[in-house]
Amino acid sequence: MFQQKQYYLHMKYIIYLITYPFLWCISILPFPLLYLLSDFIFIIVYHIIGYRTKTVRENMALTLTHLSEKERYIIEKKFYHHLCDLFLEMIKTMTISKEEICKRYVFKNIEVYKEIEKKEKSIAIMCAHYASYEWAISLNYHSKYKSYGIYKKISNDYFDKLVHKIRSKFKAILITTKETIPTIINNNNNNILSVYGFASDQSPKANTAFHYAKFMGIEVPVHTGAEMLAKRYNMNVVFLQTKKIKRGYYEASIELLSENSSEVPNYELTDQFLKLVEKQIYEAPEYYLWTHKRWKHKK
C-alpha cells in the first residue's frame, strides 16, 4: 500500500514537471498570441473533441427556452470561444503584472466596496461562475482586509501548491470548504477583519441541500453556506457582478445586499443572489459556465 502511494506521488510529480514549463511558456505570451492560441484550442475542444457539448446543449435547452435552437447554437459557439479564452487567461495569471490585470479587470464602483470596509465588519462576497471569475481576485489590490477564496482542492498536490502560490501573489489565501468554518471562527474570535469569496451558483449534493429555489425557471437545490455563515458571524454581504466588455477586458461592480444579514429572513439573500445571476445570464448567456451540470438535481 505504501509503495503504491509513493508510486502515485511520483507520477504526479512527473506530470507536474512535464506540464509546468508549457504552462509557464503560455503565461508569458503577449495577449495577441495568447488569443491566437485560444482560437486554435477552440477548434480542438469544440469541433474535434466536443468537450461536454451534450451537457451544454441540455443546459441551454432547459433554461433558454425563449430562444430558438439556431439562436442557442450561436450562443453555444460563443461560449466555447469564451471558455478557451478563460482557460488561457487563468494560465496567464501565473505571470501577469498588477498593472496589466488592473487595466483588464476594472472595478467601476470600487468606492462602494471601500465604504463597506469602513463599517469594520467582515465581508462575504457572493459571485457566479460568469465572465472572468478568476481575475476578480484583483479586488485584493483595493482591499485592506485579509482575503480568502474558497475552492475545491486539486488532486495533484504539486498543482495545488502552484495555485496557492499564484493566489498569494494577489494577497489571497485559499481554503477548502472543510477549512472555511474553522477559519471564520478563528478570525472572528481574534477580531481579524476578513473578506471571503463564495462562488455560490453551482449545484450542491441533493442530500445535503437545505433550500430549493428557482434558478433560470427551474427549481433546484442551492448553496446557502455564504448566507448562513454571513448571518451567523454578522458579515456584510455583497454581490460581485462581472461583465465582459471585449476580449480580455472585464468590468466589475459591487452591490451591497445586506448590512444586517442576521436580521434578514433565511434564504432571502440566497434567492436575491440567484436573481442577480439570472439577470447577468439573460443579458449575455455566452459568458456563463454552461459545462457544469447545474440542473442535474432539478425537481
Side-chain angles (χ1 to χ4, degrees), residues 11-21 156 158-159 162:
M11 288 305 296
K12 285 179 179 180
Y13 185 56
I14 290 172
I15 291 167
Y16 174 77
L17 286 179
I18 293 170
T19 308
Y20 179 81
N156 186 311
Y158 300 101
F159 282 110
L162 176 62

Side-chain angles (χ1 to χ4, degrees), residues 154-171:
I154 300 170
S155 58
N156 186 311
D157 293 337
Y158 300 101
F159 282 110
D160 193 68
K161 287 176 184 176
L162 176 62
V163 171
H164 277 262
K165 184 180 177 181
I166 293 168
R167 291 300 180 102
S168 66
K169 186 175 77 169
F170 295 91
K171 302 190 297 178

Side-chain angles (χ1 to χ4, degrees), residues 29-35 85 89 92-93 96-108 131-132 135-136 138 141-142 242-252:
L29 288 175
F31 276 96
L33 288 180
L34 190 80
Y35 291 126
D85 284 359
E89 286 168 3
K92 184 69 176 174
T93 310
I96 197 169
S97 67
K98 175 182 176 181
E99 293 73 24
E100 188 71 44
I101 198 170
C102 289
K103 181 179 78 174
R104 290 176 173 274
Y105 192 96
V106 177
F107 290 88
K108 68 176 186 179
S132 181
W135 282 0
S138 61
Y141 288 133
H142 307 279
T242 305
K243 289 185 177 181
K244 188 169 186 175
I245 306 303
K246 60 181 180 178
R247 202 172 200 183
Y249 288 87
Y250 302 88
E251 187 178 82

Side-chain angles (χ1 to χ4, degrees), residues 201-206 220-223 292-297:
D201 60 313
Q202 294 303 299
S203 180
K205 294 178 180 178
V220 289
V222 294
H223 281 291
H292 280 200
K293 295 182 178 179
R294 180 63 189 89
W295 293 271
K296 62 183 175 182
H297 299 307

Side-chain angles (χ1 to χ4, degrees), residues 117-132:
E117 277 195 338
K118 288 178 183 177
K119 300 178 188 299
E120 297 192 341
K121 288 164 60 175
S122 288
I123 301 169
I125 294 183
M126 300 180 75
C127 66
H129 289 84
Y130 185 89
S132 181

Side-chain angles (χ1 to χ4, degrees), residues 262-281:
S262 57
E263 297 176 8
V264 179
N266 284 346
Y267 311 125
E268 191 172 293
L269 289 172
T270 300
D271 291 346
Q272 187 180 354
F273 162 73
L274 290 174
K275 285 183 173 62
L276 290 167
V277 176
E278 277 187 0
K279 186 173 182 291
Q280 273 188 298
I281 296 171

